[in-house]
Amino acid sequence: MTGSTAASFTADDYRARMERAARTAAEAGLAGLLVAPGPDLVWLTGYTPPAVTERLTLLVLAAGQDPVLVVPALEAPDAQKAAGAPALTLRDWTDGKDPYAATAALLDASGRFGISDNAWALHLLALQQAVPGSSYTSLTEALPMLRAVKDAAELELMTAAGAAADATFEEMRNVPFAGRREAEVAADLDRLLRRYGHEQVDFTIVASGPNGANPHHEAGGRVIERGDMVVLDFGGLKDGYGSDTSRTVHVGDPTDEERRVHDIVRAAQEAGFRAVRPGAACQDVDRAARAVIADAGYGEYFIHRTGHGIGVTTHEPPYMIEGEERPLVPGMCFSVEPGVYLPGRFGVRIEDIVTVTEDGGRRLNTTSRELVIVE
């Protein structure tokens, strides 16, 4: 992740996010939040440490007190340049000093805190030792929707990331497939995503023929042949916000069965999209898409959830899956990506990122969902 995200937001934006996070934590019965380097820290402060090291960096948030970022002294100058720095207090520590003692002074000695999922065990165990009366829960467990609802500026960045992924696919329609290895086509996806502004490419799935039956197939040495169905799933971060889209193409003319399965998945994806509206449960999107595939006789071959949230990471809450009764709220962004995977034969997946609007949903990917023929 680069500093381009910070340039999009002001200190007031970050101040509002930190205040909301602290308030939400208090409403959840927590004494505060402890945020380690990673997506949450970037979203809350605009700060990405120059390197991931064993030295403690930790944002301490609690309702009624100013945000404090504990940082190693040698990294404090970089932290001071972050867009959100004016909205918080920096407390640096030097090598040879105990950063946990300094952090302990900021914590309720008997409080329960939400802590970043990716915090090092080294740091968590040291904090528990420094504040023996404290307890901790994962941030995703405690506040799964912390970043889920995007504001207008975030939606603008999400829309631009989706448009960049769409531009990539439009160029991929003219790329040669037959006779080339999956890894070569994946390299084309990577190159085009970066050309259209992605600073980070998270995945470039190219799953041809029988490999298409593996939803997370890693592009490899298989040579793509005429007659292959090919699943393309690609995305990453543009200006700090995620893209993720899937389209299934066919090399040459498809069989009737291949076309039929693609039509079923396309209808399922449309049904999932049409289920998006404020107040609907996340599981309603999954149910709508899954019902189409099950009714067509392929239910056992749809082997994953219908969608996942996306924002400053390409996979995050909320999840469109059976049992998730959390209501959809305007500003949420997530994928709708049903698929059918026939072992040893082929697979089909169609995916758009969708945002919830005041009266329904809006696709952030608008390329054709028809079966595209490539050469």
Coordinates of all heavy atoms in Angstrom, one line a residue, residues 115-199:
I115 N -8.2 -5.6 19.5 CA -6.9 -5.4 19.0 C -6.8 -6.0 17.6 O -7.5 -7.0 17.2 CB -5.8 -6.2 19.9 CG1 -4.4 -5.8 19.4 CG2 -6.1 -7.7 19.9 CD1 -3.3 -6.2 20.5
S116 N -6.0 -5.4 16.7 CA -5.9 -5.8 15.3 C -5.7 -7.3 15.2 O -4.8 -7.8 15.9 CB -4.7 -5.0 14.6 OG -4.9 -3.6 14.7
D117 N -6.3 -7.9 14.2 CA -6.1 -9.3 14.0 C -4.7 -9.6 13.6 O -4.2 -10.7 14.0 CB -7.0 -9.7 12.8 CG -8.5 -9.5 13.0 OD1 -8.8 -8.9 14.0 OD2 -9.3 -10.0 12.2
N118 N -4.0 -8.7 13.0 CA -2.6 -9.0 12.5 C -1.6 -8.5 13.5 O -0.4 -8.4 13.2 CB -2.4 -8.4 11.1 CG -2.7 -6.9 11.1 OD1 -3.5 -6.4 11.9 ND2 -2.1 -6.2 10.2
A119 N -2.0 -8.1 14.7 CA -1.0 -7.7 15.7 C -0.1 -8.9 16.1 O -0.6 -10.1 16.1 CB -1.7 -7.2 17.0
W120 N 1.2 -8.7 16.3 CA 2.1 -9.7 16.6 C 1.8 -10.3 18.0 O 1.5 -9.6 18.9 CB 3.5 -9.2 16.6 CG 4.1 -9.0 15.2 CD1 3.4 -8.6 14.1 CD2 5.5 -9.0 14.9 NE1 4.3 -8.4 13.1 CE2 5.6 -8.6 13.5 CE3 6.7 -9.2 15.6 CZ2 6.8 -8.6 12.8 CZ3 7.9 -9.2 14.9 CH2 7.9 -8.8 13.6
A121 N 1.9 -11.7 18.1 CA 1.7 -12.3 19.4 C 2.7 -11.8 20.4 O 2.4 -11.6 21.6 CB 1.9 -13.8 19.2
L122 N 3.9 -11.5 19.9 CA 5.0 -10.9 20.7 C 4.5 -9.7 21.5 O 4.7 -9.5 22.7 CB 6.2 -10.5 19.8 CG 7.3 -9.7 20.4 CD1 8.1 -10.5 21.4 CD2 8.2 -9.1 19.3
H123 N 3.8 -8.8 20.7 CA 3.3 -7.5 21.3 C 2.1 -7.8 22.3 O 2.0 -7.2 23.3 CB 3.0 -6.5 20.2 CG 4.1 -6.2 19.4 ND1 5.4 -6.0 19.8 CD2 4.2 -6.0 18.0 CE1 6.2 -5.7 18.8 NE2 5.5 -5.7 17.7
L124 N 1.2 -8.6 21.8 CA 0.0 -8.9 22.6 C 0.4 -9.5 24.0 O -0.1 -9.1 25.0 CB -1.0 -9.8 21.9 CG -2.2 -10.2 22.7 CD1 -3.0 -9.0 23.2 CD2 -3.1 -11.1 21.8
L125 N 1.3 -10.5 23.9 CA 1.7 -11.2 25.2 C 2.4 -10.2 26.1 O 2.3 -10.3 27.3 CB 2.6 -12.4 24.8 CG 1.9 -13.5 24.1 CD1 2.9 -14.5 23.6 CD2 0.8 -14.2 25.0
A126 N 3.2 -9.3 25.5 CA 4.0 -8.3 26.3 C 3.0 -7.4 27.0 O 3.2 -6.9 28.1 CB 5.0 -7.6 25.5
L127 N 1.9 -7.0 26.3 CA 0.9 -6.1 26.8 C 0.2 -6.7 28.0 O -0.1 -6.1 29.0 CB 0.0 -5.6 25.7 CG 0.5 -4.5 24.8 CD1 -0.5 -4.3 23.6 CD2 0.7 -3.2 25.5
Q128 N -0.2 -8.0 27.8 CA -0.9 -8.7 28.8 C 0.0 -8.8 30.1 O -0.5 -8.7 31.2 CB -1.2 -10.2 28.3 CG -2.3 -10.2 27.3 CD -2.6 -11.6 26.8 OE1 -1.7 -12.3 26.5 NE2 -3.8 -11.9 26.6
Q129 N 1.3 -9.0 29.9 CA 2.2 -9.0 31.0 C 2.3 -7.6 31.7 O 2.4 -7.5 32.9 CB 3.6 -9.5 30.6 CG 4.5 -9.7 31.8 CD 5.8 -10.4 31.3 OE1 6.1 -10.5 30.1 NE2 6.7 -10.8 32.2
A130 N 2.3 -6.6 30.9 CA 2.5 -5.2 31.4 C 1.2 -4.7 32.1 O 1.2 -4.0 33.0 CB 2.8 -4.3 30.3
V131 N 0.0 -5.2 31.6 CA -1.3 -4.8 32.2 C -2.0 -6.1 32.5 O -2.9 -6.5 31.7 CB -2.1 -4.0 31.2 CG1 -3.3 -3.3 31.9 CG2 -1.2 -2.9 30.6
P132 N -1.7 -6.8 33.6 CA -2.2 -8.2 33.8 C -3.7 -8.2 34.0 O -4.3 -9.3 33.8 CB -1.5 -8.6 35.1 CG -1.0 -7.4 35.7 CD -0.7 -6.4 34.6
G133 N -4.3 -7.1 34.3 CA -5.8 -7.1 34.5 C -6.6 -6.9 33.2 O -7.8 -6.9 33.2
S134 N -5.9 -6.7 32.1 CA -6.5 -6.4 30.8 C -6.9 -7.7 30.1 O -6.4 -8.7 30.4 CB -5.6 -5.5 30.0 OG -4.4 -6.2 29.6
S135 N -7.8 -7.5 29.1 CA -8.1 -8.7 28.3 C -8.4 -8.1 26.9 O -8.6 -6.9 26.7 CB -9.4 -9.4 28.8 OG -10.5 -8.5 28.8
Y136 N -8.4 -9.0 25.9 CA -8.4 -8.6 24.5 C -9.3 -9.5 23.6 O -9.5 -10.7 23.9 CB -6.9 -8.7 23.9 CG -6.0 -7.8 24.8 CD1 -5.4 -8.4 25.9 CD2 -5.7 -6.5 24.4 CE1 -4.6 -7.6 26.7 CE2 -4.9 -5.7 25.2 CZ -4.3 -6.3 26.3 OH -3.5 -5.5 27.1
T137 N -9.8 -8.9 22.6 CA -10.6 -9.6 21.6 C -10.2 -9.1 20.2 O -9.7 -7.9 20.1 CB -12.1 -9.4 21.8 OG1 -12.8 -10.2 20.8 CG2 -12.5 -8.0 21.6
S138 N -10.3 -9.9 19.2 CA -9.9 -9.5 17.8 C -10.8 -8.3 17.4 O -12.0 -8.3 17.6 CB -9.9 -10.6 16.9 OG -11.2 -10.9 16.4
L139 N -10.2 -7.4 16.6 CA -10.9 -6.3 16.1 C -12.1 -6.7 15.2 O -13.2 -6.2 15.2 CB -10.0 -5.3 15.4 CG -10.4 -3.9 15.2 CD1 -10.8 -3.3 16.5 CD2 -9.3 -3.1 14.5
T140 N -11.8 -7.7 14.4 CA -12.8 -8.2 13.4 C -14.0 -8.9 14.2 O -15.1 -8.7 13.8 CB -12.2 -9.2 12.4 OG1 -11.4 -8.5 11.6 CG2 -13.3 -9.9 11.6
E141 N -13.7 -9.5 15.3 CA -14.7 -10.2 16.1 C -15.5 -9.1 16.8 O -16.8 -9.2 16.9 CB -14.1 -11.1 17.2 CG -15.1 -11.8 18.1 CD -15.9 -12.9 17.4 OE1 -15.4 -13.4 16.3 OE2 -17.0 -13.2 17.9
A142 N -14.8 -8.1 17.3 CA -15.5 -7.0 18.1 C -16.3 -6.0 17.3 O -17.4 -5.6 17.6 CB -14.5 -6.3 19.0
L143 N -15.6 -5.6 16.2 CA -16.2 -4.5 15.3 C -16.0 -4.9 13.9 O -15.3 -4.2 13.1 CB -15.5 -3.2 15.6 CG -15.5 -2.6 17.0 CD1 -14.7 -1.3 17.1 CD2 -16.9 -2.4 17.5
P144 N -16.7 -5.9 13.5 CA -16.6 -6.4 12.1 C -16.9 -5.4 11.0 O -16.4 -5.4 9.9 CB -17.4 -7.6 12.0 CG -18.4 -7.4 13.1 CD -17.7 -6.7 14.2
M145 N -17.8 -4.4 11.4 CA -18.3 -3.5 10.4 C -17.6 -2.1 10.4 O -18.0 -1.1 9.9 CB -19.8 -3.2 10.5 CG -20.6 -4.5 10.3 SD -20.6 -5.0 8.6 CE -19.5 -6.5 8.8
L146 N -16.4 -2.1 11.1 CA -15.7 -0.8 11.3 C -15.5 -0.1 10.0 O -15.7 1.1 10.0 CB -14.4 -1.1 12.1 CG -13.5 0.1 12.3 CD1 -14.2 1.1 13.3 CD2 -12.2 -0.3 12.9
R147 N -15.0 -0.8 9.0 CA -14.7 -0.1 7.7 C -15.7 -0.4 6.6 O -15.5 0.0 5.5 CB -13.3 -0.6 7.2 CG -12.2 -0.4 8.2 CD -10.8 -0.6 7.5 NE -10.8 -1.7 6.6 CZ -10.2 -2.9 6.9 NH1 -9.6 -3.1 8.1 NH2 -10.2 -3.9 6.0
A148 N -16.8 -1.1 7.0 CA -17.7 -1.6 6.0 C -18.5 -0.6 5.2 O -18.7 -0.7 4.0 CB -18.7 -2.6 6.6
V149 N -18.9 0.5 5.9 CA -19.7 1.5 5.2 C -18.8 2.6 4.7 O -18.2 3.3 5.5 CB -20.8 2.1 6.1 CG1 -21.6 3.2 5.4 CG2 -21.7 0.9 6.6
K150 N -18.8 2.8 3.4 CA -17.9 3.8 2.7 C -18.6 5.1 2.6 O -19.8 5.2 2.3 CB -17.5 3.3 1.3 CG -16.3 2.3 1.3 CD -16.6 1.0 2.0 CE -15.4 0.0 1.9 NZ -15.6 -1.2 2.7
D151 N -17.8 6.2 2.8 CA -18.4 7.5 2.6 C -18.2 7.9 1.1 O -17.7 7.1 0.3 CB -17.7 8.5 3.5 CG -16.2 8.7 3.2 OD1 -15.7 8.4 2.1 OD2 -15.5 9.1 4.1
A152 N -18.7 9.1 0.7 CA -18.7 9.5 -0.7 C -17.3 9.4 -1.3 O -17.2 9.0 -2.5 CB -19.4 10.8 -0.8
A153 N -16.3 9.9 -0.6 CA -15.0 9.9 -1.2 C -14.4 8.5 -1.4 O -13.8 8.2 -2.4 CB -14.0 10.7 -0.2
E154 N -14.7 7.6 -0.4 CA -14.3 6.2 -0.6 C -15.0 5.6 -1.7 O -14.4 4.8 -2.5 CB -14.6 5.5 0.7 CG -13.7 5.9 1.9 CD -13.9 5.1 3.1 OE1 -15.1 5.2 3.7 OE2 -13.1 4.3 3.5
L155 N -16.3 5.8 -1.9 CA -17.0 5.2 -3.0 C -16.5 5.7 -4.3 O -16.5 5.0 -5.3 CB -18.5 5.6 -2.9 CG -19.3 4.8 -1.8 CD1 -20.7 5.4 -1.7 CD2 -19.3 3.3 -2.1
E156 N -16.0 7.0 -4.4 CA -15.4 7.5 -5.6 C -14.2 6.7 -6.0 O -13.9 6.3 -7.1 CB -15.1 9.0 -5.5 CG -14.6 9.6 -6.7 CD -14.5 11.1 -6.6 OE1 -15.1 11.7 -5.6 OE2 -13.7 11.7 -7.3
L157 N -13.4 6.4 -4.9 CA -12.1 5.6 -5.2 C -12.5 4.2 -5.5 O -11.8 3.6 -6.4 CB -11.3 5.7 -3.9 CG -10.6 7.0 -3.6 CD1 -10.0 7.1 -2.2 CD2 -9.6 7.4 -4.7
M158 N -13.5 3.6 -4.9 CA -13.9 2.2 -5.2 C -14.4 2.2 -6.7 O -14.1 1.2 -7.4 CB -15.0 1.8 -4.3 CG -14.5 1.6 -2.8 SD -13.5 0.1 -2.6 CE -14.6 -1.2 -3.2
T159 N -15.1 3.2 -7.1 CA -15.7 3.2 -8.4 C -14.5 3.3 -9.4 O -14.5 2.6 -10.5 CB -16.6 4.4 -8.6 OG1 -17.7 4.3 -7.7 CG2 -17.2 4.5 -10.0
A160 N -13.5 4.1 -9.1 CA -12.4 4.3 -10.0 C -11.6 3.0 -10.1 O -11.1 2.6 -11.2 CB -11.5 5.4 -9.6
A161 N -11.4 2.3 -9.0 CA -10.7 1.0 -9.0 C -11.5 0.0 -9.9 O -10.9 -0.8 -10.6 CB -10.6 0.5 -7.6
G162 N -12.8 -0.1 -9.7 CA -13.6 -1.0 -10.6 C -13.5 -0.6 -12.0 O -13.4 -1.5 -12.9
A163 N -13.5 0.7 -12.4 CA -13.4 1.1 -13.8 C -12.0 0.6 -14.3 O -11.9 0.2 -15.5 CB -13.6 2.6 -13.9
A164 N -11.0 0.7 -13.5 CA -9.6 0.3 -14.0 C -9.6 -1.2 -14.2 O -9.0 -1.7 -15.2 CB -8.6 0.6 -12.9
A165 N -10.3 -2.0 -13.4 CA -10.4 -3.5 -13.6 C -11.2 -3.7 -14.9 O -10.8 -4.7 -15.6 CB -11.0 -4.1 -12.4
D166 N -12.2 -3.0 -15.1 CA -13.0 -3.2 -16.3 C -12.2 -2.9 -17.6 O -12.3 -3.6 -18.6 CB -14.2 -2.3 -16.3 CG -15.3 -2.8 -15.3 OD1 -15.2 -3.9 -14.8 OD2 -16.3 -2.1 -15.2
A167 N -11.4 -1.8 -17.5 CA -10.6 -1.4 -18.7 C -9.6 -2.6 -18.9 O -9.3 -2.9 -20.1 CB -9.8 -0.1 -18.4
T168 N -9.1 -3.2 -17.9 CA -8.2 -4.3 -18.0 C -8.8 -5.5 -18.7 O -8.3 -6.0 -19.7 CB -7.7 -4.8 -16.6 OG1 -6.9 -3.7 -16.0 CG2 -6.9 -6.0 -16.7
F169 N -10.1 -5.8 -18.3 CA -10.8 -6.9 -19.0 C -11.0 -6.6 -20.5 O -10.9 -7.5 -21.3 CB -12.1 -7.2 -18.3 CG -12.8 -8.3 -19.0 CD1 -12.4 -9.6 -19.0 CD2 -14.0 -8.1 -19.7 CE1 -13.1 -10.6 -19.6 CE2 -14.7 -9.1 -20.3 CZ -14.2 -10.3 -20.3
E170 N -11.4 -5.3 -20.7 CA -11.7 -5.0 -22.1 C -10.5 -5.3 -23.0 O -10.6 -5.7 -24.2 CB -12.2 -3.6 -22.2 CG -13.6 -3.3 -21.6 CD -14.7 -4.0 -22.4 OE1 -14.5 -4.6 -23.5 OE2 -15.8 -4.1 -21.8
E171 N -9.3 -5.0 -22.5 CA -8.1 -5.2 -23.3 C -7.8 -6.7 -23.4 O -7.3 -7.2 -24.4 CB -6.9 -4.5 -22.7 CG -7.0 -3.0 -22.9 CD -5.6 -2.3 -23.1 OE1 -4.7 -3.0 -23.7 OE2 -5.5 -1.1 -22.8
M172 N -8.1 -7.5 -22.3 CA -7.9 -8.9 -22.3 C -8.7 -9.6 -23.3 O -8.3 -10.7 -23.8 CB -8.2 -9.5 -20.9 CG -7.2 -9.1 -19.8 SD -5.5 -9.6 -20.1 CE -5.7 -11.4 -20.1
R173 N -9.8 -9.1 -23.7 CA -10.6 -9.7 -24.8 C -9.9 -9.9 -26.1 O -10.2 -10.8 -26.9 CB -11.9 -8.9 -25.0 CG -12.8 -8.8 -23.8 CD -14.0 -7.9 -24.0 NE -14.9 -8.4 -25.1 CZ -16.2 -8.3 -25.2 NH1 -16.8 -7.6 -24.2 NH2 -16.9 -8.7 -26.2
N174 N -8.9 -9.0 -26.3 CA -8.1 -9.1 -27.5 C -6.7 -9.7 -27.4 O -5.9 -9.7 -28.3 CB -7.9 -7.7 -28.0 CG -9.3 -7.0 -28.3 OD1 -10.1 -7.6 -28.9 ND2 -9.4 -5.8 -27.9
V175 N -6.4 -10.2 -26.2 CA -5.2 -10.9 -25.9 C -5.2 -12.3 -26.4 O -6.3 -13.0 -26.3 CB -4.9 -10.9 -24.4 CG1 -3.8 -11.9 -24.0 CG2 -4.5 -9.5 -23.9
P176 N -4.2 -12.9 -27.1 CA -4.2 -14.3 -27.5 C -4.2 -15.2 -26.3 O -3.4 -15.0 -25.3 CB -3.0 -14.4 -28.3 CG -2.1 -13.3 -27.9 CD -3.0 -12.2 -27.5
F177 N -5.0 -16.2 -26.3 CA -5.1 -17.2 -25.2 C -4.5 -18.6 -25.7 O -3.7 -19.2 -25.0 CB -6.5 -17.4 -24.7 CG -7.0 -16.3 -23.8 CD1 -7.3 -15.1 -24.2 CD2 -7.2 -16.6 -22.4 CE1 -7.7 -14.1 -23.4 CE2 -7.6 -15.7 -21.6 CZ -7.9 -14.4 -22.0
A178 N -5.0 -19.1 -26.8 CA -4.6 -20.4 -27.3 C -3.1 -20.5 -27.5 O -2.5 -19.7 -28.1 CB -5.4 -20.8 -28.6
G179 N -2.6 -21.6 -27.0 CA -1.1 -21.9 -27.2 C -0.2 -21.2 -26.2 O 1.0 -21.3 -26.2
R180 N -0.8 -20.4 -25.3 CA 0.0 -19.7 -24.2 C -0.3 -20.3 -22.9 O -1.3 -20.8 -22.6 CB -0.4 -18.2 -24.2 CG -0.2 -17.5 -25.5 CD -0.6 -16.1 -25.4 NE 0.3 -15.3 -24.6 CZ 0.0 -14.2 -23.9 NH1 -1.3 -13.8 -23.9 NH2 0.8 -13.6 -23.2
R181 N 0.7 -20.2 -22.0 CA 0.6 -20.8 -20.6 C -0.3 -19.8 -19.8 O -0.3 -18.6 -20.0 CB 2.0 -21.0 -20.0 CG 2.8 -21.9 -20.7 CD 4.1 -22.2 -20.0 NE 5.1 -23.0 -20.8 CZ 5.0 -24.3 -20.8 NH1 4.0 -25.0 -20.2 NH2 5.8 -25.0 -21.6
E182 N -1.0 -20.4 -18.8 CA -1.8 -19.6 -17.9 C -1.0 -18.5 -17.3 O -1.5 -17.3 -17.2 CB -2.4 -20.5 -16.8 CG -3.4 -21.5 -17.3 CD -3.8 -22.4 -16.2 OE1 -3.0 -22.5 -15.2 OE2 -4.9 -23.0 -16.3
A183 N 0.2 -18.8 -16.9 CA 1.1 -17.8 -16.2 C 1.4 -16.6 -17.2 O 1.5 -15.4 -16.7 CB 2.4 -18.4 -15.8
E184 N 1.5 -16.8 -18.5 CA 1.7 -15.7 -19.4 C 0.5 -14.8 -19.5 O 0.6 -13.6 -19.5 CB 2.0 -16.3 -20.8 CG 3.3 -17.1 -20.9 CD 3.5 -17.7 -22.3 OE1 3.0 -18.8 -22.5 OE2 4.1 -17.0 -23.1
V185 N -0.7 -15.4 -19.5 CA -1.9 -14.6 -19.5 C -2.1 -13.8 -18.2 O -2.5 -12.7 -18.2 CB -3.1 -15.5 -19.8 CG1 -4.4 -14.7 -19.8 CG2 -3.0 -16.1 -21.2
A186 N -1.7 -14.5 -17.1 CA -1.8 -13.8 -15.8 C -0.8 -12.6 -15.8 O -1.2 -11.6 -15.2 CB -1.4 -14.8 -14.7
A187 N 0.3 -12.7 -16.4 CA 1.2 -11.6 -16.5 C 0.6 -10.5 -17.3 O 0.9 -9.3 -16.9 CB 2.6 -12.1 -17.1
D188 N -0.2 -10.8 -18.3 CA -0.9 -9.7 -19.0 C -1.8 -9.0 -18.1 O -1.9 -7.7 -18.1 CB -1.7 -10.3 -20.2 CG -0.8 -10.8 -21.3 OD1 0.4 -10.3 -21.4 OD2 -1.2 -11.6 -22.1
L189 N -2.6 -9.7 -17.3 CA -3.5 -9.1 -16.3 C -2.8 -8.2 -15.4 O -3.2 -7.1 -15.1 CB -4.2 -10.2 -15.5 CG -5.4 -10.9 -16.2 CD1 -5.8 -12.1 -15.4 CD2 -6.6 -10.0 -16.4
D190 N -1.7 -8.7 -14.8 CA -0.9 -7.9 -13.9 C -0.4 -6.6 -14.6 O -0.5 -5.5 -14.0 CB 0.3 -8.7 -13.4 CG 1.1 -8.0 -12.3 OD1 1.8 -7.0 -12.6 OD2 1.1 -8.4 -11.2
R191 N 0.1 -6.7 -15.8 CA 0.6 -5.5 -16.5 C -0.5 -4.5 -16.8 O -0.3 -3.3 -16.6 CB 1.3 -6.0 -17.8 CG 1.7 -4.9 -18.8 CD 2.3 -5.5 -20.0 NE 1.5 -6.5 -20.7 CZ 0.5 -6.2 -21.5 NH1 0.2 -4.9 -21.8 NH2 -0.3 -7.1 -22.1
L192 N -1.6 -5.0 -17.2 CA -2.7 -4.1 -17.5 C -3.3 -3.4 -16.3 O -3.6 -2.2 -16.3 CB -3.8 -4.8 -18.3 CG -3.4 -5.2 -19.7 CD1 -4.4 -6.2 -20.3 CD2 -3.3 -4.0 -20.6
L193 N -3.5 -4.2 -15.2 CA -3.9 -3.6 -13.9 C -3.0 -2.4 -13.5 O -3.5 -1.3 -13.1 CB -4.0 -4.6 -12.8 CG -5.2 -5.6 -12.9 CD1 -5.0 -6.7 -11.9 CD2 -6.5 -4.9 -12.6
R194 N -1.7 -2.6 -13.6 CA -0.8 -1.6 -13.2 C -0.8 -0.4 -14.2 O -0.7 0.8 -13.8 CB 0.6 -2.2 -13.1 CG 0.8 -3.2 -12.0 CD 2.2 -3.7 -11.9 NE 2.2 -4.8 -10.9 CZ 2.2 -4.7 -9.6 NH1 2.2 -3.5 -9.1 NH2 2.3 -5.8 -8.9
R195 N -1.0 -0.7 -15.5 CA -1.1 0.4 -16.5 C -2.3 1.2 -16.2 O -2.3 2.5 -16.4 CB -1.3 -0.2 -17.9 CG -1.5 0.9 -18.9 CD -2.0 0.3 -20.3 NE -1.0 -0.5 -20.9 CZ -1.2 -1.2 -22.0 NH1 -2.4 -1.1 -22.6 NH2 -0.3 -1.9 -22.6
Y196 N -3.4 0.6 -15.7 CA -4.6 1.4 -15.4 C -4.6 1.9 -13.9 O -5.7 2.2 -13.4 CB -5.9 0.6 -15.7 CG -6.1 0.6 -17.2 CD1 -5.8 -0.6 -17.9 CD2 -6.5 1.7 -17.9 CE1 -6.0 -0.7 -19.3 CE2 -6.7 1.6 -19.3 CZ -6.4 0.5 -20.0 OH -6.6 0.4 -21.3
G197 N -3.5 2.0 -13.3 CA -3.4 2.7 -12.0 C -3.3 1.9 -10.7 O -3.2 2.5 -9.7
H198 N -3.3 0.6 -10.8 CA -3.1 -0.2 -9.6 C -1.7 -0.2 -9.1 O -0.8 -0.5 -9.9 CB -3.5 -1.7 -9.8 CG -5.0 -1.9 -9.9 ND1 -5.8 -1.3 -10.9 CD2 -5.9 -2.6 -9.0 CE1 -7.1 -1.7 -10.7 NE2 -7.1 -2.4 -9.5
E199 N -1.5 0.2 -7.8 CA -0.2 0.2 -7.3 C 0.1 -1.2 -6.7 O 1.3 -1.5 -6.4 CB 0.0 1.2 -6.2 CG -0.8 1.0 -4.9 CD -2.2 1.6 -4.9 OE1 -2.6 2.1 -6.0 OE2 -2.9 1.6 -3.9

